[in-house]
Amino acid sequence: AFAPTRKPGNDKRTVKVRAESINPEIRKSEEKVVDSVDLTQLSKPITPYCRCWRSKTFPLCDGSHVKHNKATGDNVGPLLLKKQ
Amino acid sequence: AFAPTRKPGNDKRTVKVRAESINPEIRKSEEKVVDSVDLTQLSKPITPYCRCWRSKTFPLCDGSHVKHNKATGDNVGPLLLKKQ
Ligand code: FES
Ligand code: FES
Protein backbone atom coordinates (compact mmCIF):
# COMPACT_ATOMS: atom_id res chain seq x y z
CA ALA A 1 0.00 0.00 0.00
CA PHE A 2 1.07 3.54 -0.62
CA ALA A 3 1.51 5.86 2.32
CA PRO A 4 2.26 9.50 1.65
CA THR A 5 5.60 10.56 3.01
CA ARG A 6 5.69 13.34 5.50
CA LYS A 7 8.79 15.21 6.54
CA PRO A 8 9.25 15.45 10.31
CA GLY A 9 9.55 19.21 10.04
CA ASN A 10 6.08 19.46 8.51
CA ASP A 11 4.43 17.32 11.14
CA LYS A 12 3.54 20.03 13.61
CA ARG A 13 0.26 21.80 14.07
CA THR A 14 0.14 25.44 13.16
CA VAL A 15 -1.92 28.06 14.94
CA LYS A 16 -2.93 31.04 12.90
CA VAL A 17 -2.84 34.30 14.80
CA ARG A 18 -4.48 37.20 13.07
CA ALA A 19 -2.18 40.20 13.22
CA GLU A 20 -3.90 43.37 14.35
CA SER A 21 -3.58 47.00 13.43
CA ILE A 22 -2.36 49.16 16.33
CA ASN A 23 -3.51 52.53 15.00
CA PRO A 24 -7.30 52.71 14.66
CA GLU A 25 -7.70 56.41 13.90
CA ILE A 26 -4.67 58.64 13.48
CA ARG A 27 -4.08 60.06 9.97
CA LYS A 28 -5.37 56.94 8.23
CA SER A 29 -5.21 58.73 4.87
CA GLU A 30 -1.43 58.64 5.11
CA GLU A 31 0.31 55.50 3.88
CA LYS A 32 2.77 55.68 6.77
CA VAL A 33 2.62 58.04 9.72
CA VAL A 34 6.14 59.33 10.26
CA ASP A 35 6.89 62.44 12.31
CA SER A 36 10.06 64.47 12.61
CA VAL A 37 11.20 66.38 15.64
CA ASP A 38 13.67 69.20 15.16
CA LEU A 39 15.49 68.89 18.44
CA THR A 40 16.61 72.52 18.36
CA GLN A 41 12.95 73.54 18.52
CA LEU A 42 12.06 71.78 21.77
CA SER A 43 11.29 74.33 24.46
CA LYS A 44 10.60 72.28 27.59
CA PRO A 45 13.20 70.25 29.54
CA ILE A 46 11.14 67.07 28.93
CA THR A 47 8.70 66.49 26.06
CA PRO A 48 6.74 63.22 25.95
CA TYR A 49 5.94 61.71 22.53
CA CYS A 50 3.12 59.23 22.03
CA ARG A 51 3.72 55.55 21.22
CA CYS A 52 0.20 54.26 21.98
CA TRP A 53 -1.59 55.81 18.99
CA ARG A 54 -4.42 57.05 21.21
CA SER A 55 -3.34 60.64 21.92
CA LYS A 56 -5.60 63.49 20.86
CA THR A 57 -2.44 65.59 20.44
CA PHE A 58 -0.44 63.03 18.45
CA PRO A 59 2.56 62.94 17.92
CA LEU A 60 2.70 64.34 21.45
CA CYS A 61 1.57 62.24 24.43
CA ASP A 62 -1.54 63.50 26.23
CA GLY A 63 -1.72 60.73 28.84
CA SER A 64 -4.19 58.57 26.86
CA HIS A 65 -1.87 55.57 27.25
CA VAL A 66 -3.18 55.25 30.85
CA LYS A 67 -6.74 54.57 29.67
CA HIS A 68 -5.51 52.27 26.89
CA ASN A 69 -3.40 50.23 29.33
CA LYS A 70 -6.26 49.92 31.79
CA ALA A 71 -8.74 48.85 29.08
CA THR A 72 -6.49 46.26 27.47
CA GLY A 73 -3.95 45.13 30.07
CA ASP A 74 -1.22 46.62 27.92
CA ASN A 75 1.95 48.30 29.24
CA VAL A 76 2.81 50.97 26.69
CA GLY A 77 4.09 54.45 27.42
CA PRO A 78 5.67 57.50 25.82
CA LEU A 79 9.16 58.35 24.65
CA LEU A 80 10.53 61.19 26.74
CA LEU A 81 12.79 63.66 24.97
CA LYS A 82 15.10 65.28 27.50
CA LYS A 83 17.01 68.42 26.65
CA GLN A 84 19.53 67.71 29.38
CA ALA B 1 -51.87 44.70 30.19
CA PHE B 2 -48.59 45.76 31.64
CA ALA B 3 -45.84 46.82 29.28
CA PRO B 4 -42.43 47.57 30.72
CA THR B 5 -41.41 51.18 30.23
CA ARG B 6 -38.28 51.85 28.30
CA LYS B 7 -36.46 55.13 28.23
CA PRO B 8 -35.71 56.38 24.71
CA GLY B 9 -32.06 56.76 25.59
CA ASN B 10 -31.80 53.06 26.41
CA ASP B 11 -33.49 51.92 23.20
CA LYS B 12 -30.41 51.60 21.02
CA ARG B 13 -28.37 48.55 20.23
CA THR B 14 -24.88 48.49 21.59
CA VAL B 15 -21.89 46.92 19.89
CA LYS B 16 -19.09 45.76 22.12
CA VAL B 17 -15.67 46.29 20.66
CA ARG B 18 -12.91 44.50 22.51
CA ALA B 19 -9.97 46.81 23.01
CA GLU B 20 -6.67 45.23 22.05
CA SER B 21 -3.17 45.41 23.42
CA ILE B 22 -0.69 46.92 20.96
CA ASN B 23 2.50 45.59 22.54
CA PRO B 24 2.62 41.79 22.45
CA GLU B 25 6.22 41.22 23.58
CA ILE B 26 8.39 44.15 24.62
CA ARG B 27 9.40 44.32 28.31
CA LYS B 28 6.08 42.87 29.51
CA SER B 29 7.45 42.61 33.05
CA GLU B 30 7.41 46.41 33.25
CA GLU B 31 4.16 48.03 34.30
CA LYS B 32 4.68 50.81 31.75
CA VAL B 33 7.37 50.96 29.11
CA VAL B 34 8.71 54.50 29.15
CA ASP B 35 12.03 55.43 27.57
CA SER B 36 14.09 58.59 27.88
CA VAL B 37 16.35 60.04 25.24
CA ASP B 38 19.10 62.38 26.34
CA LEU B 39 19.20 64.58 23.28
CA THR B 40 22.78 65.62 23.92
CA GLN B 41 23.83 61.98 23.45
CA LEU B 42 22.46 61.50 19.94
CA SER B 43 25.28 61.01 17.47
CA LYS B 44 23.62 60.73 14.07
CA PRO B 45 21.85 63.58 12.24
CA ILE B 46 18.62 61.53 12.22
CA THR B 47 17.69 58.78 14.69
CA PRO B 48 14.40 56.87 14.19
CA TYR B 49 12.51 55.70 17.28
CA CYS B 50 9.98 52.87 17.16
CA ARG B 51 6.24 53.44 17.61
CA CYS B 52 5.04 50.05 16.28
CA TRP B 53 6.24 47.90 19.21
CA ARG B 54 7.70 45.33 16.82
CA SER B 55 11.35 46.43 16.68
CA LYS B 56 14.07 44.03 17.79
CA THR B 57 16.12 47.07 18.82
CA PHE B 58 13.34 48.88 20.73
CA PRO B 59 13.20 51.77 21.59
CA LEU B 60 15.00 52.30 18.28
CA CYS B 61 13.27 51.57 14.97
CA ASP B 62 14.73 48.68 12.97
CA GLY B 63 12.26 48.85 10.07
CA SER B 64 9.89 46.19 11.46
CA HIS B 65 6.96 48.59 10.99
CA VAL B 66 7.05 47.70 7.28
CA LYS B 67 6.23 44.04 7.92
CA HIS B 68 3.63 44.97 10.54
CA ASN B 69 1.89 47.38 8.16
CA LYS B 70 1.87 44.83 5.35
CA ALA B 71 0.49 42.08 7.58
CA THR B 72 -2.27 44.17 9.14
CA GLY B 73 -3.07 47.01 6.75
CA ASP B 74 -1.85 49.44 9.37
CA ASN B 75 -0.02 52.71 8.64
CA VAL B 76 2.34 53.24 11.56
CA GLY B 77 5.87 54.54 11.40
CA PRO B 78 8.72 55.88 13.53
CA LEU B 79 9.44 59.19 15.19
CA LEU B 80 12.50 60.75 13.62
CA LEU B 81 14.76 62.76 15.92
CA LYS B 82 16.68 65.33 13.90
CA LYS B 83 19.69 67.05 15.34
CA GLN B 84 19.36 69.92 12.93
S1 FES C 1 -0.87 59.26 24.92
FE1 FES C 1 0.12 57.75 23.73
S2 FES C 1 1.90 57.28 24.89
FE2 FES C 1 0.89 58.76 26.06
S1 FES D 1 10.35 49.26 13.83
FE1 FES D 1 8.71 50.12 14.96
S2 FES D 1 8.37 52.02 13.97
FE2 FES D 1 9.97 51.17 12.85
Side-chain angles (χ1 to χ4, degrees):
Chain A
F2 173 79
T5 56
R6 186 181 283 211
K7 290 183 195 151
N10 290 340
D11 200 14
K12 57 186 178 223
R13 310 274 173 96
T14 56
V15 176
K16 276 201 183 164
V17 176
R18 192 162 64 92
E20 300 282 352
S21 166
I22 69 169
N23 171 29
E25 291 194 353
I26 292 169
R27 292 153 52 190
K28 296 308 283 191
S29 65
E30 298 178 26
E31 190 181 335
K32 181 159 60 178
V33 179
V34 178
D35 295 283
S36 291
V37 182
D38 175 353
L39 302 181
T40 65
Q41 295 303 110
L42 292 174
S43 52
K44 294 179 296 177
I46 299 180
T47 309
Y49 276 80
C50 180
R51 302 190 294 188
C52 79
W53 300 91
R54 302 297 183 280
S55 176
K56 299 299 186 197
T57 59
F58 196 90
L60 294 168
C61 167
D62 71 353
S64 294
H65 57 268
V66 174
K67 187 180 168 192
H68 164 80
N69 285 341
K70 191 167 283 190
T72 65
D74 212 349
N75 68 337
V76 298
L79 181 72
L80 307 180
L81 303 193
K82 298 195 176 182
K83 285 185 82 173
Q84 178 36 309
Chain B
F2 173 77
T5 57
R6 187 181 282 210
K7 289 183 195 154
N10 290 338
D11 201 13
K12 57 185 180 224
R13 310 275 174 97
T14 57
V15 176
K16 277 200 182 166
V17 175
R18 193 160 63 92
E20 298 284 353
S21 166
I22 70 170
N23 171 29
E25 291 195 355
I26 293 170
R27 290 149 57 186
K28 296 308 282 190
S29 65
E30 298 179 25
E31 189 180 337
K32 181 159 59 177
V33 178
V34 178
D35 295 284
S36 292
V37 183
D38 176 353
L39 303 180
T40 64
Q41 296 303 109
L42 292 173
S43 53
K44 295 179 296 178
I46 300 180
T47 309
Y49 276 80
C50 179
R51 301 190 294 187
C52 78
W53 299 91
R54 301 297 183 279
S55 175
K56 299 298 186 197
T57 59
F58 196 90
L60 295 168
C61 167
D62 70 354
S64 294
H65 57 269
V66 174
K67 186 180 169 193
H68 164 79
N69 285 342
K70 190 168 282 190
T72 65
D74 211 348
N75 68 336
V76 298
L79 181 71
L80 307 179
L81 303 193
K82 297 194 177 182
K83 284 185 82 173
Q84 176 39 305

